[in-house]
Amino acid sequence: MWRSLFFRPHKNSGRRPPAISVAEEEQMESRQYLGEISALCYLHLPPPSPSLPYLLAGTGSQLLFYDLVSSTMIASFQVFDGIRVHGICCLPSQDTSGTFRVAVFGERRLKLFLFNIQLPHHDDQTLVRLVSFQSLPNFGHWILDVCFIKDCVNEGSQFLAIGCTDNSVYFWDTLTSRVSYQVSSPDRCLLYTMRMWGDKIDSIHVASGTIFNEIIVWKVVCGCYTPCLDNPSKDSEVHVCSRQYKAVPVCKLSGHEGSIFRITWSLDGSKLVSVSDDRSARIWEVLNAKNDTNNAAELTISPSGGPVLFGHSARVWDCCMSDSLIITVGEDCTCRVWGLDGTQLRIIKEHIGRGVWRCLYDPVSSLLVTAGFDSALKVHLLHSSLPMGLTICNGAGEYESKQIFTIQIPNSNRTGLMDSRSEYVRCMHFASENALFVATNNGILYLAKISDTGDVTWTQLFRASEDIPIVCISVFPGGTSCVDNWIALGDGKGRLTVVRVVGLPAPEVNPFLTWSAEAERQLLGTFWCESLGPTYIFTTNPRGKLKLWRIESFSEYLVAEFTSCFPIRIICLDASFQEEVLVCGDLRGNLVLFPLLRDTLLSTPVSSVAQISPLNYFKGAHGISSVTSVSIHGSSSSNIELHSTGGDGCICYLEYDKFEQKMEFIGMKQVKELSLVKSFFPNDNPDYAIGFASADFIIWNLSTETKVAEIPCGGWRRPHTYFLGDIPEMKNCFAYVKDEVIYMHKHWVVTSDKIYPQNLHLQFHGREMHSLCFIVDHKNNCQLGFIATGCEDGTVRLTRYSSGFDNWSASKLLGEHVGGSAVRSLCSVQKVHTLTDCMMNTAGATSKQGSHLDDQEDQFLLISVGAKRVITAWTRKSISTPESEMLFQWLSSDLPNRRSGTNLNGLKKKETTGNLDDVSIDIVPSESTEICCNDGNENDWRYLAVTAFLVKIFGSRTSVCFIVVACSDATVTLRALVLPHRLWFDIALLIPSASPVLSLQHVIIPELPSCKDKSQTKSVFTVISGSTDGSIAFWDVTETVQTFMQKVSNLKKEDCRNFQKRPQTGRGSQGGRQWRSLDNPDQKPAATSPKPSETTEDSMQDQTSLNMIQPLHVFKNVHQSGVNCLHVSDVTDFESCFSCNVISGGDDQALHSFRLNVMGSDDRPTSDIQFIHQVKSSNYQIIFSHPDKTASAHSSAVKGVWTDGNWVFSTGLDQRLRCWRVSTDGKLSEHGHLIVSVPEPEALDVRKCGRTRYQIAVAGRGMQMVEFLLAPADS
């Protein structure tokens, strides 16, 4: 029987949430919730405590405790069951014991805790303890605000003021544990928000945001005795003291044009800040508590009563206020900092998804914490980045170690207008944080040394023989400050000059070397490569030709010429001496790979110049946007990994196969804050992206997803340069030119105790998740698991779960669907089913063929589908990784043809009255089936469900991933992805589908004996679907799979071409794409016919038509409405048949289960099988047995189910996770349930760890893991 236990605080550190006992033997333990952060609170310890406060954050039903000094989470606590934490209020202790009284509330619940912090000694860890102090009864209305106050008469009494949505305040006496007073506003109306100010009962001021877009300000004063009529709960007795209080209106504030979501008071109670649905924040002046009277008349203040803060592009959710600043956060994922006069000082945009829910500012430490839907907690040191207080003196401005210098070249025209003889800056490059190389249009190279006070010392290093503009500059080494710098200058005459500068404080210029590298106006770029040293230098012209020069003993000679296959200017490159390759990026997004042999580099000067052609190329790696940087990264014995950045705001990852000499696209990251990614830092392990967004220069931290620096500069087309230290947050410089003036921004802190901004909590999806699945690696232990999730915003993430204290340890973004189209379903594919050669040799004789399934070879694939009918496949990287990591890369994506939208019309529904026991088969004549296009609504179609399996031909490297997808236009399609060629094919249409299919599963029966030859075996591939009309259908796709595999076995490898190079981004860089279909009437015939034993890709298009597969059997009205979820257990091989369990859940709140048995067509079912229906074919028979129905399994729609044949786990919109035991006769009996913290659960998946443990993941608005532990006897 189920036994529910109330929350009991842990006596130790409180790091593990409580366990729920199930049937006395089993246990269900809820783990940390990963979702929106809904409450924040600082904990300040008295001296000599740490200078920074501690932080309490509420997420789901849990409290998270953080140490801001170490930026780590110390403990987590479960405080409610299924109720989200809406607010936290704390009362610090008066002594140094480190004990706080903490009030936590959510919905109608409020609990009081004693929170004790024991500071560490030496190397010890901080210990915390949360002890339940009082649990208040349920209130009749939702709680909006709570604060600790004192009694106006007896200061020894401690009260808790509780504001509710009915515009009333209850005063809870913490000593007597009862409600002593209740005060209700004369304006009785429903509220969206309330905020109280004051430290005693008779000084409480209340600001209430009503549903009428107004703020009612009222206060509590002493009054005559009147008994309390309204109770906070019907089952609790309210004790009223003889002294009573009453509400007196102060003023009414009107001006907002939308619902008021949050209100905050100033420290002295003289001002209010409110945020609203109208995308604005308003500052209000209210009557001072010291000046107003008890009988003050109500006053209406117009919008002109204070500044109106406009800037947010969506609803504003929260605000906070200090003596000098106002902070607002909103649905547009921005945090904005304002002055009290309404001036916007700063914009912070680092969250993703539905918005930033909460903000909290500490004026003592100047720390700002923001929390959002994406589960992230961002910490900023606010005063170090505000432009206020910045003063400029002698051309230099400084504020909190940030400096701005304004300098001009010596010969610039400072007063008059520019003319053709004026000198101006053409290009710049940092030599160090205090030195800058500047090249001008007059052929002069300067070294500018800037002191900390802004004084500039100019040194002329080089001057051309004639006034020819310098068009390009390159410095070696370019990334770090060095006393020995090699500078290459290209001028308008096509000449290249190399200058060596030794020592920056007192620069010494060695004799320079000048030669003609290109024709006049043809030298557009010069590049050094760190791996080659200063001995070799590259030059490029506008037509895609690259020259390699060798400098030796102050003489130069041409080593080789590289000609790109694209006649487009090369603007970036990188070379590897060890790997003997050179990779280049051009102005139109193409990447070209050249061989760079050691013999060529080390050869002596010869009369002939080596002409080198490309090894391979990748067209449109960044669409039509320019490639801004490219680098060669880690390599293995067979592969080289390449990284590139571009003008499309993306970082692309490619892989080059040395043996096959093929370049493949393996992944991409969109840096949404940057419209152009200039480069990344450092090159060997990029953690930072450097680029531009509109007219701003931005440094972005890729690890913490935070903005390091943002400098308005006018855009990337101006001459600019940057310089980064070892810690870019503390050491960064940027210079740009505007109106003949060089502006240099310098932030250079040598030592710092803390780096900001910080990310305290794992950043996750910012919107609802529709699907998840475990990525099971049998080599890993059960302490570690990986979960793939698909989100409404089109992103797919891989999150690592560990059974320790901090459960969610890492989350990696795999990629994004085209244009951010929502991901509706995910499935993982690991087992590879191998077919024997005898099946492939004879065409069409499937009844006589044998088959063998060998799943010894494991391969990881992840398939995601969603809106706009997008299918994306991911594969696990083949490189060896630590056990704690699992790396996936993009494999291929497919988008439908514009004419491929189909729908089935004209199908008549056969009405039946029964459930699983009343079965029928849909019989629809093939002549009456119509397939019609609906191109007008093609953008509305989306894939709703997917299932996939891998099949491989024995002895061949070619494998096929068969993917079954269900579309919202009521079609179910069998598709194929041929690997490793990445070819997509449409194979068959599963008809008829009178209603859209919501869920899909597949069953593969291995080694089923043939009916005519028992020595041979065959496999059966079956697809199961659940529709919106409550029906469950079964489809046999065996013959279609075998026929397609036979054609694939004859596919010529050299004729297969990668028709899709990269995924689309939806940002103007689409890349090349084509579609392949087996039913393509427009395909032109091949010029020469292939041999009968060989099949080309084009011939497969011509010879094969789209099959129409009728269902084997359809169960009608299994559910009264949609079948939201299906799951099939692993197939078990009994002596007489193969068997598996099928479980389904629907909108009707019911669970249905039955057993599917497959045996030979001549076999007879045993007497213990109580079958409800039998389907026979020429090769096998399917028997459906052991039906069971649980009518009210949940109190709302069932959204996720899973079974292994022994246990069933289900979840629904009632926010319950239920556990069911499967008896030998197939009956389900509830074994227990648990309330999860995930609002609106949408999906569930389970991983079995060993014999006694299950890990259950539930996803919806967030994700939570639950562990189910079996008693040893049940295992």
Side-chain angles (χ1 to χ4, degrees):
M1 295 295 294
W2 165 254
R3 184 185 68 179
S4 61
L5 299 180
F6 292 101
F7 167 76
R8 298 185 184 277
H10 298 288
K11 299 265 179 103
N12 300 323
S13 64
R15 297 183 178 182
R16 182 180 290 271
I20 303 298
S21 177
V22 179
E24 302 296 338
E25 295 96 1
E26 293 80 25
Q27 283 188 335
M28 295 179 72
E29 298 181 355
S30 61
R31 301 304 188 199
Q32 184 178 331
Y33 167 72
L34 186 61
E36 58 191 78
I37 307 292
S38 54
L40 296 173
C41 181
Y42 281 125
L43 299 180
H44 291 271
L45 287 178
S49 62
S51 57
L52 299 181
Y54 290 95
L55 179 69
L56 273 178
T59 175
S61 303
Q62 300 170 345
L63 280 183
L64 308 180
F65 179 67
Y66 289 92
D67 183 2
L68 295 182
V69 175
S70 60
S71 298
T72 56
M73 185 171 67
I74 300 176
S76 64
F77 307 92
Q78 186 87 16
V79 293
F80 292 121
D81 289 330
I83 298 176
R84 188 177 67 166
V85 175
H86 287 167
I88 308 168
C89 180
C90 71
L91 178 67
S93 59
Q94 302 299 326
D95 51 20
T96 59
S97 61
T99 301
F100 293 81
R101 289 191 177 186
V102 177
V104 184
F105 62 91
E107 297 183 8
R108 296 178 175 87
R109 296 283 294 159
L110 189 149
K111 291 186 177 182
L112 290 176
F113 298 93
L114 293 178
F115 192 78
N116 180 257
I117 304 174
Q118 298 181 11
L119 297 178
H121 298 283
H122 304 291
D123 296 333
D124 297 337
Q125 295 182 349
T126 302
L127 299 179
V128 294
R129 184 175 60 175
L130 187 71
V131 180
S132 180
F133 179 59
Q134 289 178 3
S135 181
L136 278 66
N138 284 354
F139 284 77
H141 298 271
W142 278 38
I143 301 173
L144 296 177
D145 191 24
V146 169
C147 64
F148 288 95
I149 58 174
K150 297 179 181 179
D151 191 356
C152 56
V153 178
N154 184 10
E155 295 189 358
S157 300
Q158 190 70 54
F159 285 86
L160 195 65
I162 306 163
C164 297
T165 54
D166 62 343
N167 207 5
S168 60
V169 177
Y170 298 90
F171 296 93
W172 176 270
D173 192 338
T174 59
L175 298 180
T176 61
S177 300
R178 63 183 184 183
V179 174
S180 297
Y181 314 104
Q182 177 202 348
V183 180
S184 299
S185 171
D187 296 307
R188 302 298 300 272
C189 60
L190 293 179
L191 309 179
Y192 278 122
T193 183
M194 174 188 286
R195 187 58 65 93
M196 295 179 288
W197 175 86
D199 57 354
K200 294 183 179 180
I201 295 180
D202 58 353
S203 64
I204 284 290
H205 281 59
V206 182
S208 306
T210 71
I211 61 175
F212 305 111
N213 308 336
E214 295 178 336
I215 301 176
I216 299 175
V217 182
W218 54 281
K219 66 177 182 177
V220 179
V221 298
C222 284
C224 60
Y225 167 78
T226 55
C228 181
L229 299 178
D230 296 330
N231 295 340
S233 177
K234 295 181 180 180
D235 55 354
S236 63
E237 180 181 357
V238 180
H239 300 268
V240 182
C241 301
S242 57
R243 187 174 66 255
Q244 259 313 305
Y245 297 90
K246 67 177 182 179
V248 174
V250 175
C251 60
K252 182 181 293 184
L253 311 176
S254 63
H256 278 294
E257 297 178 358
S259 303
I260 300 169
F261 292 134
R262 201 74 168 177
I263 300 172
T264 186
W265 287 88
S266 62
L267 293 179
D268 59 358
S270 61
K271 292 182 180 180
L272 281 175
V273 175
S274 60
V275 294
S276 170
D277 191 18
D278 61 5
R279 300 177 296 177
S280 72
R282 292 176 181 265
I283 305 174
W284 310 89
E285 295 282 348
V286 297
L287 295 177
N288 193 286
K290 297 180 180 179
N291 299 330
D292 58 0
T293 62
N294 293 345
N295 298 320
E298 183 175 326
L299 176 65
T300 300
I301 298 181
S302 64
S304 60
V308 182
L309 313 181
F310 283 110
H312 286 277
S313 59
R315 291 178 289 186
V316 189
W317 293 124
D318 196 11
C319 60
C320 56
M321 186 180 187
S322 69
D323 291 336
S324 58
L325 296 176
I326 296 173
I327 295 98
T328 59
V329 294
E331 196 177 24
D332 56 357
C333 292
T334 63
C335 172
R336 298 174 186 262
V337 184
W338 314 78
L340 295 183
D341 58 352
T343 304
Q344 184 171 288
L345 303 177
R346 188 186 177 193
I347 303 176
I348 303 171
K349 188 175 182 180
E350 295 174 357
H351 291 270
I352 58 176
R354 289 203 177 276
V356 187
W357 292 125
R358 294 290 176 260
C359 60
L360 189 63
Y361 179 64
D362 179 31
V364 177
S365 59
S366 298
L367 289 184
L368 170 65
V369 179
T370 59
F373 199 100
D374 58 357
S375 183
L377 280 169
K378 308 283 187 177
V379 183
H380 293 262
L381 188 61
L382 203 55
H383 65 75
S384 65
S385 58
L386 291 180
M388 62 179 186
L390 187 64
T391 58
I392 297 179
C393 182
N394 296 327
E398 183 174 0
Y399 181 77
E400 295 293 336
S401 303
K402 291 190 176 183
Q403 298 171 300
I404 300 178
F405 305 104
T406 57
I407 56 179
Q408 289 182 312
I409 56 177
N411 298 326
S412 64
N413 187 0
R414 306 194 181 194
T415 58
L417 299 177
M418 291 183 60
D419 54 25
S420 59
R421 292 172 295 180
S422 300
E423 186 176 17
Y424 56 88
V425 178
R426 287 296 302 259
C427 42
M428 302 183 297
H429 197 287
F430 270 108
S432 67
E433 68 275 13
N434 295 319
L436 190 67
F437 293 117
V438 180
T440 71
N441 63 316
N442 290 341
I444 303 176
L445 175 67
Y446 293 103
L447 174 63
K449 292 180 290 184
I450 304 99
S451 66
D452 293 337
T453 60
D455 298 329
V456 184
T457 302
W458 291 92
T459 303
Q460 180 176 312
L461 302 178
F462 167 78
R463 186 183 183 102
S465 58
E466 49 184 319
D467 292 343
I468 300 298
I470 297 176
V471 296
C472 55
I473 184 173
S474 180
V475 179
F476 181 89
T480 57
S481 58
C482 184
V483 296
D484 192 358
N485 290 275
W486 294 75
I487 308 170
L489 305 172
D491 60 29
K493 292 289 186 179
R495 295 176 300 190
L496 184 65
T497 301
V498 176
V499 180
R500 185 183 179 187
V501 180
V502 179
L504 292 181
E508 176 184 348
V509 181
N510 289 350
F512 51 85
L513 183 64
T514 302
W515 71 93
S516 178
E518 294 286 350
E520 185 176 355
R521 296 186 178 183
Q522 297 299 302
L523 178 59
L524 297 183
T526 175
F527 309 96
W528 303 96
C529 281
E530 187 175 353
S531 62
L532 303 181
T535 307
Y536 298 92
I537 189 169
F538 294 89
T539 60
T540 182
N541 67 6
R543 297 177 299 277
K545 181 172 286 189
L546 199 67
K547 293 182 180 180
L548 174 61
W549 304 85
R550 182 173 178 178
I551 303 173
E552 194 175 55
S553 302
F554 288 97
S555 63
E556 85 292 337
Y557 66 90
L558 184 60
V559 176
E561 290 186 354
F562 304 84
T563 303
S564 172
C565 46
F566 305 100
I568 302 172
R569 173 188 170 189
I570 294 174
I571 58 176
C572 59
L573 59 83
D574 192 21
S576 173
F577 182 81
Q578 180 180 359
E579 300 295 339
E580 297 183 290
V581 293
L582 167 69
V583 60
C584 308
D586 64 26
L587 199 62
R588 286 295 178 264
N590 307 310
L591 293 176
V592 184
L593 195 73
F594 295 95
L596 188 64
L597 302 180
R598 291 190 180 92
D599 296 339
T600 303
L601 293 173
L602 302 178
S603 62
T604 59
V606 293
S607 57
S608 62
V609 178
Q611 301 293 327
I612 301 178
S613 300
L615 282 173
N616 205 331
Y617 65 89
F618 197 103
K619 185 177 181 179
H622 291 271
I624 59 174
S625 302
S626 59
V627 182
T628 54
S629 72
V630 63
S631 61
I632 301 173
H633 282 258
S635 61
S636 61
S637 59
S638 60
N639 296 320
I640 300 175
E641 189 168 329
L642 309 174
H643 296 179
S644 66
T645 64
D648 58 349
C650 297
I651 301 175
C652 295
Y653 306 94
L654 299 97
E655 195 172 68
Y656 175 72
D657 193 316
K658 300 178 184 177
F659 299 124
E660 297 188 3
Q661 294 187 352
K662 182 174 62 175
M663 195 186 305
E664 290 187 346
F665 199 96
I666 62 173
M668 177 177 64
K669 178 178 178 59
Q670 299 183 46
V671 186
K672 295 185 179 297
E673 289 298 317
L674 302 180
S675 58
L676 179 144
V677 181
K678 190 74 174 178
S679 63
F680 36 69
F681 176 85
N683 285 330
D684 54 347
N685 186 21
D687 291 327
Y688 300 86
I690 299 100
F692 294 84
S694 185
D696 297 338
F697 171 78
I698 292 178
I699 304 175
W700 186 265
N701 191 319
L702 297 173
S703 301
T704 61
E705 295 294 334
T706 55
K707 190 182 298 181
V708 175
E710 181 177 10
I711 301 172
C713 63
W716 60 272
R717 296 185 183 276
R718 300 178 185 272
H720 64 272
T721 181
Y722 62 89
F723 185 81
L724 303 181
D726 52 351
I727 305 176
E729 284 85 353
M730 295 289 102
K731 300 178 180 180
N732 62 78
C733 298
F734 177 71
Y736 66 95
V737 178
K738 180 181 179 182
D739 299 332
E740 301 181 71
V741 178
I742 301 175
Y743 294 86
M744 176 178 169
H745 292 249
K746 179 182 177 182
H747 178 49
W748 206 267
V749 180
V750 179
T751 59
S752 178
D753 298 332
K754 197 68 177 174
I755 300 174
Y756 293 100
Q758 290 279 332
N759 191 9
L760 300 181
H761 200 244
L762 189 68
Q763 190 165 31
F764 196 48
H765 291 292
R767 293 181 181 270
E768 295 82 357
M769 287 165 283
H770 299 292
S771 181
L772 84 162
C773 64
F774 274 97
I775 306 297
V776 180
D777 186 357
H778 299 294
K779 299 178 182 179
N780 278 341
N781 55 38
C782 288
Q783 301 295 324
L784 202 63
F786 296 90
I787 302 174
T789 52
C791 181
E792 179 71 25
D793 61 1
T795 58
V796 178
R797 281 186 172 269
L798 187 66
T799 306
R800 185 174 65 205
Y801 169 83
S802 59
S803 297
F805 155 58
D806 194 1
N807 301 145
W808 306 108
S809 50
S811 182
K812 179 180 177 59
L813 178 66
L814 294 186
E816 182 178 348
H817 275 210
V818 177
S821 54
V823 179
R824 304 296 302 185
S825 184
L826 287 171
C827 72
S828 61
V829 188
Q830 181 177 359
K831 292 184 179 180
V832 180
H833 304 275
T834 306
L835 304 181
T836 58
D837 290 336
C838 61
M839 177 184 296
M840 299 294 105
N841 292 334
T842 306
T846 57
S847 61
K848 297 181 179 180
Q849 294 165 352
S851 65
H852 174 68
L853 272 75
D854 180 15
D855 55 11
Q856 297 300 319
E857 180 182 356
D858 288 343
Q859 183 175 345
F860 284 82
L861 286 182
L862 180 65
I863 310 296
S864 62
V865 301
K868 301 180 183 179
R869 290 180 293 175
V870 176
I871 306 178
T872 302
W874 321 81
T875 181
R876 186 179 181 182
K877 285 188 177 181
S878 57
I879 61 175
S880 59
T881 56
E883 185 180 287
S884 60
E885 293 186 12
M886 183 177 288
L887 302 179
F888 274 75
Q889 66 188 35
W890 177 83
L891 179 63
S892 183
S893 294
D894 185 68
L895 290 86
N897 197 327
R898 286 187 175 272
R899 299 180 181 179
S900 64
T902 61
N903 192 9
L904 297 180
N905 296 329
L907 301 183
K908 297 181 180 180
K909 296 183 179 180
K910 183 177 180 179
E911 297 182 359
T912 58
T913 58
N915 48 29
L916 194 60
D917 297 326
D918 185 9
V919 297
S920 63
I921 303 177
D922 273 343
I923 302 176
V924 181
S926 58
E927 294 83 0
S928 64
T929 302
E930 297 180 0
I931 300 176
C932 60
C933 294
N934 292 274
D935 292 340
N937 298 322
E938 71 166 281
N939 291 329
D940 295 333
W941 302 138
R942 59 175 54 195
Y943 287 138
L944 300 177
V946 65
T947 187
F949 51 90
L950 270 168
V951 180
K952 181 181 179 182
I953 305 170
F954 184 79
S956 172
R957 290 188 59 193
T958 302
S959 60
V960 178
C961 180
F962 291 94
I963 304 171
V964 185
V965 288
C967 187
S968 58
D969 64 351
T971 58
V972 181
T973 309
L974 176 62
R975 313 200 66 194
L977 172 61
V978 181
L979 302 174
H981 313 302
R982 305 187 185 187
L983 301 177
W984 289 90
F985 295 93
D986 291 326
I987 301 178
L989 194 64
L990 279 58
I991 60 171
S993 297
S995 301
V997 170
L998 296 177
S999 52
L1000 286 170
Q1001 288 288 314
H1002 71 272
V1003 179
I1004 299 179
I1005 306 298
E1007 300 181 359
L1008 185 67
S1010 175
C1011 60
K1012 296 185 178 181
D1013 187 357
K1014 297 296 182 182
S1015 63
Q1016 293 187 3
T1017 60
K1018 69 170 283 124
S1019 58
V1020 178
F1021 297 88
T1022 307
V1023 176
I1024 308 175
S1025 66
S1027 304
T1028 56
D1029 60 358
S1031 63
I1032 298 178
F1034 298 83
W1035 320 78
D1036 184 3
V1037 297
T1038 306
E1039 184 176 352
T1040 304
V1041 169
Q1042 292 175 354
T1043 303
F1044 186 83
M1045 292 301 298
Q1046 187 176 15
K1047 292 182 177 294
V1048 170
S1049 64
N1050 298 322
L1051 187 65
K1052 293 178 64 176
K1053 177 181 175 182
E1054 57 269 18
D1055 289 338
C1056 296
R1057 48 191 183 269
N1058 290 333
F1059 62 90
Q1060 185 177 3
K1061 294 296 187 181
R1062 55 159 282 171
Q1064 293 178 281
T1065 63
R1067 302 182 70 176
S1069 56
Q1070 303 302 318
R1073 76 173 190 266
Q1074 299 175 17
W1075 292 280
R1076 293 293 181 263
S1077 173
L1078 293 181
D1079 187 15
N1080 191 353
D1082 298 331
Q1083 183 71 35
K1084 296 182 179 180
T1088 59
S1089 301
K1091 298 179 180 180
S1093 60
E1094 294 179 346
T1095 303
T1096 65
E1097 178 192 355
D1098 293 335
S1099 65
M1100 290 183 66
Q1101 322 287 333
D1102 298 333
Q1103 299 172 4
T1104 311
S1105 61
L1106 193 65
N1107 295 332
M1108 303 294 178
I1109 303 179
Q1110 295 281 344
L1112 277 177
H1113 185 75
V1114 178
F1115 287 109
K1116 298 293 291 185
N1117 298 334
V1118 176
H1119 291 271
Q1120 297 178 11
S1121 53
V1123 183
N1124 292 325
C1125 45
L1126 276 172
H1127 192 262
V1128 180
S1129 66
D1130 292 337
V1131 176
T1132 305
D1133 184 6
F1134 294 103
E1135 295 181 358
S1136 58
C1137 66
F1138 294 89
S1139 179
C1140 62
N1141 285 59
V1142 181
I1143 184 76
S1144 66
D1147 279 333
D1148 59 354
Q1149 309 172 11
L1151 290 178
H1152 284 265
S1153 66
F1154 56 89
R1155 190 168 297 166
L1156 187 146
N1157 307 276
V1158 182
M1159 62 184 67
S1161 58
D1162 297 336
D1163 297 333
R1164 294 184 178 181
T1166 59
S1167 58
D1168 60 335
I1169 298 181
Q1170 301 176 356
F1171 62 89
I1172 57 176
H1173 195 81
Q1174 185 176 12
V1175 178
K1176 285 189 175 183
S1177 70
S1178 59
N1179 300 309
Y1180 62 91
Q1181 58 179 326
I1182 298 178
I1183 298 176
F1184 303 97
S1185 63
H1186 300 89
D1188 184 66
K1189 175 181 179 180
T1190 305
S1192 298
H1194 287 261
S1195 59
S1196 188
V1198 181
K1199 303 298 287 188
V1201 291
W1202 185 93
T1203 183
D1204 63 349
N1206 298 317
W1207 295 91
V1208 172
F1209 301 97
S1210 64
T1211 189
L1213 294 180
D1214 57 356
Q1215 215 169 324
R1216 263 63 175 175
L1217 173 64
R1218 299 187 184 274
C1219 171
W1220 311 81
R1221 185 65 181 264
V1222 183
S1223 62
T1224 55
D1225 58 353
K1227 302 297 182 182
L1228 300 183
S1229 59
E1230 186 176 359
H1231 232 52
H1233 76 272
L1234 184 71
I1235 303 175
V1236 294
S1237 298
V1238 180
E1240 303 174 10
E1242 286 283 340
L1244 172 144
D1245 198 17
V1246 181
R1247 174 194 181 200
K1248 187 174 182 180
C1249 301
R1251 299 171 58 89
T1252 61
R1253 186 175 168 198
Y1254 293 83
Q1255 291 179 347
I1256 310 161
V1258 181
R1261 287 180 55 184
M1263 182 168 63
Q1264 186 176 14
M1265 185 74 74
V1266 177
E1267 296 197 7
F1268 178 65
L1269 305 176
L1270 287 176
D1274 290 337
S1275 62

